[in-house]
Amino acid sequence: MRRVRYTETGGPEVLRIEETAVPVPGPGEVLVRTEAIGLTLPVVRKVREGGLPLPTGPGGEVAGKIAAVGAGVTGFAVGDRVTGLCFTDAFADFALVHTAMLSPVPEGASAADAVALVRCGLVALGAYEAARPAAGESVLVTAAAGGSGHLAVQLAKARGAGRVVAAVSSADKAEFARSLGADEVVTYGDESWGAPVDIVLDAVGGELLSPAIAALAPGGRIVAYSSGGGTIEAYDLLVGAKSAIGFQMALIARERPELMERWRRELWELFAAGRIRPRVDCELPLEDVAKAFGIIESRANRGKVILRPV
């Protein structure tokens, strides 16, 4: 089978496709014949910035059919359509996924739908829940055209937000953001982000934290769920009685799997009802993995970037 690996950190140019044996699932794992593979900005940053033993293969979201099951696996069988998260070697013809990170794909949903919806949707829904929103509150979403952000905009509307503001990197993404249901669209460089909001869901971090905090109304909350880092000045929170909340999906998966499963069910229910729709920016063959990484790193995407092994 083919898989993507890298032996040094850097940009898309360090990625290589190699031939290797099909892996065998261990206890609690299934082997998925991948049909769609999703790419995220945190994965791109890991390739560029390191932090993992090398050589390794990038992780990501996968969807496809189960080809084999390991010892002790219950609830899943060969032939089932599933989606899940791999922490390494996701970009391959076959991928190993632990059942704790696996969920079935319902009838009527494609592999692309599953990859675009489940993991990014869990992050978006979890970040929104972390803010403890009340009905009618206003929400601003940064990276609103990205994989998680475009779902966060839709989820906020579906959950009863009174006003949803989409913050995007450039004006050419405004029409896309409005198509998601955003009531207003701002760009990062705008002098003002409009009337203050109760909640900011931030997937960017870094230099964007200061204007994001400034966009909050007194008593407002910012939920930071990006891997971009950055610093929040305590004084900026103090003067408006504002709060900063960190959210990490891995912690939920590890400590509260029942909550993650509840969120999964809600995502599929909203999808079935037509209240949220994952958007796919492009679908590329596995051989174009470097191009896919470049699209994500440049933040040129509107929705999910997906690779198709077959």
Side-chain angles (χ1 to χ4, degrees):
M1 74 167 196
R2 301 166 300 165
R3 72 177 176 188
V4 175
R5 292 218 132 191
Y6 58 104
T7 59
E8 59 182 322
T9 56
E13 72 280 354
V14 305
L15 301 169
R16 299 287 183 271
I17 295 180
E18 65 179 26
E19 290 288 339
T20 188
V22 175
V24 177
E29 293 182 327
V30 302
L31 179 69
V32 177
R33 177 67 168 98
T34 57
E35 297 174 9
I37 305 164
L39 181 59
T40 63
L41 184 58
V43 170
V44 171
R45 285 174 171 158
K46 282 184 180 179
V47 173
R48 183 170 286 282
E49 299 168 6
L52 294 172
L54 296 174
T56 189
E61 307 123 336
V62 302
K65 290 184 178 179
I66 295 178
V69 299
V73 170
T74 59
F76 296 97
V78 171
D80 286 353
R81 299 175 67 235
V82 293
T83 186
L85 176 69
C86 307
F87 294 103
T88 186
D89 290 332
F91 292 78
D93 292 314
F94 291 88
L96 294 174
V97 185
H98 197 280
T99 54
M101 307 305 296
L102 201 66
S103 63
V105 176
E107 291 296 325
S110 69
D113 288 332
V115 159
L117 177 69
V118 175
R119 185 65 183 177
C120 285
L122 286 171
V123 171
L125 182 52
Y128 188 55
E129 286 260 302
R132 297 179 181 175
E137 285 193 310
S138 52
V139 182
L140 183 145
V141 179
T142 66
S148 294
H150 89 283
L151 291 170
V153 170
Q154 296 179 69
L155 285 165
K157 294 293 287 187
R159 284 290 205 88
R163 169 174 152 254
V164 178
V165 181
V168 294
S169 58
S170 58
D172 61 354
K173 296 180 179 179
E175 184 177 351
F176 174 76
R178 289 192 180 92
S179 76
L180 303 171
D183 300 298
E184 301 169 25
V185 181
V186 300
T187 60
Y188 301 153
D190 289 348
E191 185 175 344
S192 170
W193 286 3
V197 297
D198 300 301
I199 297 168
V200 170
L201 303 180
D202 178 50
V204 179
E207 295 180 355
L208 211 64
L209 285 173
S210 290
I213 293 292
L216 284 173
R221 295 89 73 199
I222 181 171
V223 179
Y225 65 98
S226 86
S227 59
T231 301
I232 295 174
E233 294 290 339
Y235 182 77
D236 292 340
L237 300 177
L238 175 65
V239 292
K242 302 172 183 179
S243 302
I245 303 163
F247 176 77
Q248 184 190 54
M249 194 64 224
L251 182 64
I252 299 296
R254 187 167 57 249
E255 302 293 336
R256 301 191 63 187
E258 76 291 345
L259 179 58
M260 190 170 73
E261 183 55 37
R262 191 185 83 197
W263 289 345
R264 278 195 193 114
R265 289 196 302 269
E266 180 175 350
L267 288 169
W268 283 123
E269 288 167 2
L270 289 169
F271 175 83
R275 299 182 68 190
I276 58 172
R277 278 289 177 262
R279 306 290 183 86
V280 175
D281 179 86
C282 59
E283 298 184 38
L284 302 171
L286 187 64
E287 291 78 7
D288 284 344
V289 61
K291 180 179 179 180
F293 269 63
I295 292 170
I296 291 289
E297 192 165 43
S298 66
R299 295 185 177 274
N301 58 302
R302 294 163 177 77
K304 195 70 175 174
V305 173
I306 290 175
L307 287 161
R308 289 277 196 177
V310 293

